[in-house]
Amino acid sequence: MKLNRNYLNLEESYLFSTVAHKVSAFSAAHPEAKILRMGIGDVTLPLAPAVVEAMQKAVSEMGKKETFRGYGPEQGYDFLRESIQGYYARRGIALDVNEIFISDGAKSDLGNILDIFDTDNTVLIPDPVYPVYVDTNVMAGRKIVFADANADNGFLPMPDDSVNADIIYICSPNNPTGAAYSAEQLQAWVDYARAHGAVILYDAAYECFVSEKGLARSIYETKGAKECAIEFCSFSKTAGFTGTRCGYTVVPQDLKFDGVSCNKLWLRRQTTKFNGVPYIVQRGAAAVFTEEGEKQIHENLAVYRRNAKRLCDCMDELGVFYTGGKNSPYVWFRCPGFSDSWQFFDYLLEKANVVGTPGCGFGKNGQGFFRLTAFGSEETTIEAVERIKNLLKV
């Protein structure tokens, strides 16, 4: 018996585990301190009433013999897939229902999708980046090359024809930097992928925060994307499902390599390894796309957008370089007075009792940068902004 020794190549500690350990130690040493948590991107507002009502109704159905449901379709119930299909259609994107697969979240599928690709493929990942992209490929032993995202390119790297890659990760709006690609910029990536025979894994978990005209919410806003891209999205940030767990993945029928359909491979993978998302959760997710549901969801999103603006205004007042905030729930800024992200983390925690996320935990290009989230309560965000301004004002 042999272990998968690729796991030994992973960083010993997951970024957010280290953050939690440091905060726990500080809290134990300073029990009187009121710690404001602005680090992990977890939502704080409750599920929308329309979602709760739909889930309660579904629970009632599950308690009656006439409406009880056992195993559901692994790829998701049609009522939810059709709701998602309509959501895309309202944005001018036509999808076949059979191209939509319901999951328990984008994070799971971003890792699981690798099952249908050979381990010999070379992976192109931007740096800094959401750690799951890197770790899941390290676990499989794939070769990884990085695309430099930095202040000079606004943390939006563009294709380099001298680099050959088979699997390309793009997250827009980006986690952690909050930077968002325009449709024109994504078209360049689609053209690159098609020219190199590569597949794009497009993480659209934060698409609902895009508000500026010209910025893309879906990879399928570009010509030819259905021939080279898989899109992942989640209800976690859109509708507060971080603890409820539901997302979806779009695998186009036109996506084929060597004549083999990725859609069919993914369907086979899911029917083998996945039993589907609970009926009750899917009913709640479908309610997100009703007229009342969308209205309530946007009321919640407006709170997070106001928080993001407060963080941006803070950085503007301090004269600190940052990206994100305007089309993203994350503000990514250069650590003022510090070249080391962890040192700034300790400084902010000790002097202001505010918790953020050190940029170096997202890759080497994140060194000297820091991420704050807009997902806290308005009260927490307002107080955190005041503490940060008082601490960092020259």
Side-chain angles (χ1 to χ4, degrees):
M1 195 284 294
K2 295 181 180 179
L3 293 173
N4 180 356
R5 300 187 68 82
N6 292 314
Y7 275 69
L8 303 181
N9 296 324
L10 293 168
E11 293 290 333
E12 286 191 14
S13 179
Y14 187 51
L15 167 63
F16 298 107
S17 298
T18 304
V19 169
H21 177 75
K22 279 178 167 283
V23 174
S24 178
F26 180 83
S27 181
H30 304 276
E32 77 290 349
K34 180 184 178 182
I35 299 174
L36 304 180
R37 300 171 189 271
M38 305 284 288
I40 296 177
D42 195 3
V43 294
T44 53
L45 293 174
L47 297 172
V51 172
V52 174
E53 183 180 350
M55 294 179 73
Q56 289 174 335
K57 183 179 178 182
V59 169
S60 180
E61 290 177 22
M62 294 295 281
K64 300 175 183 177
K65 184 177 180 180
E66 306 78 43
T67 51
F68 172 79
R69 288 172 171 79
Y71 289 122
E74 293 92 344
Q75 63 269 40
Y77 286 97
D78 282 346
F79 64 78
L80 177 53
R81 298 164 85 196
E82 289 168 1
S83 294
I84 295 168
Q85 181 187 43
Y87 178 61
Y88 275 82
R90 291 193 289 277
R91 292 184 277 146
I93 299 170
L95 297 178
D96 188 281
V97 167
N98 292 324
E99 295 177 323
I100 301 168
F101 297 80
I102 308 304
S103 72
D104 63 355
K107 179 179 181 179
S108 299
D109 277 6
L110 281 159
N112 292 334
I113 197 72
L114 296 172
D115 281 4
I116 71 172
F117 301 114
D118 196 281
T119 55
D120 285 340
N121 288 307
T122 297
V123 184
L124 178 62
I125 301 177
D127 178 342
V129 71
Y130 182 44
V132 171
Y133 306 162
V134 176
D135 290 352
T136 50
N137 281 286
V138 170
M139 290 171 179
R142 288 188 181 86
K143 177 184 177 182
I144 300 173
V145 293
F146 292 96
D148 276 331
N150 51 55
D152 291 337
N153 58 30
F155 288 95
L156 293 170
M158 296 302 292
D160 181 348
D161 283 327
S162 67
V163 176
N164 289 312
D166 307 298
I167 301 172
I168 303 164
Y169 282 84
I170 296 177
C171 178
S172 180
N174 185 267
N175 179 12
T177 69
Y181 281 106
S182 68
E184 184 180 0
Q185 288 172 314
L186 284 184
Q187 186 65 63
W189 276 109
V190 168
D191 293 344
Y192 169 89
R194 295 180 70 189
H196 286 76
V199 64
I200 294 174
L201 304 183
Y202 187 81
D203 186 350
Y206 303 95
E207 58 84 15
C208 60
F209 287 92
V210 174
S211 58
E212 288 185 47
K213 187 176 181 180
L215 298 183
R217 294 177 61 184
S218 169
I219 191 74
Y220 302 123
E221 294 175 30
T222 63
K223 184 178 179 180
K226 288 186 178 181
E227 298 174 14
C228 68
I230 298 173
E231 183 160 297
F232 305 81
C233 203
S234 168
F235 291 90
S236 289
K237 306 312 190 293
T238 302
F241 273 54
T242 52
T244 308
R245 307 310 306 151
C246 193
Y248 57 88
T249 295
V250 179
V251 186
Q253 302 280 10
D254 292 340
L255 182 61
K256 299 177 181 179
F257 293 96
D258 296 326
V260 179
S261 167
C262 289
N263 183 284
K264 288 184 177 179
L265 291 184
W266 183 239
L267 176 62
R268 186 67 176 88
R269 188 270 174 204
Q270 292 297 81
T271 54
T272 301
K273 291 189 174 184
F274 186 57
N275 260 346
V277 175
Y279 170 74
I280 295 166
V281 173
Q282 291 194 53
R283 278 297 183 190
V288 170
F289 299 113
T290 63
E291 183 177 351
E292 189 62 24
E294 288 198 0
K295 178 184 175 183
Q296 294 168 358
I297 294 304
H298 282 291
E299 289 173 356
N300 281 359
L301 291 174
V303 173
Y304 298 137
R305 290 191 180 101
R306 287 196 296 271
N307 284 344
K309 186 178 185 304
R310 291 183 177 104
L311 293 171
C312 289
D313 290 345
C314 175
M315 297 304 147
D316 287 336
E317 186 175 332
L318 292 170
V320 174
F321 170 85
Y322 69 94
T323 56
K326 297 177 176 63
N327 298 283
S328 165
Y330 299 120
V331 173
W332 174 261
F333 62 96
R334 182 177 282 119
C335 301
F338 290 82
S339 59
D340 183 276
S341 299
W342 278 115
Q343 288 181 2
F344 182 76
F345 173 92
D346 292 336
Y347 179 71
L348 195 62
L349 176 60
E350 292 168 7
K351 301 298 183 182
N353 301 158
V354 173
V355 178
T357 310
C360 58
F362 297 100
K364 66 178 181 63
N365 284 0
Q367 184 62 276
F369 286 85
F370 207 75
R371 191 193 76 175
L372 292 176
T373 174
F375 284 125
S377 68
E378 288 194 278
E379 295 77 15
T380 295
T381 305
I382 291 170
E383 186 173 352
V385 163
E386 287 306 307
R387 292 187 190 183
I388 291 170
K389 284 196 292 188
N390 290 335
L391 178 65
L392 301 180
K393 271 184 178 178
V394 178

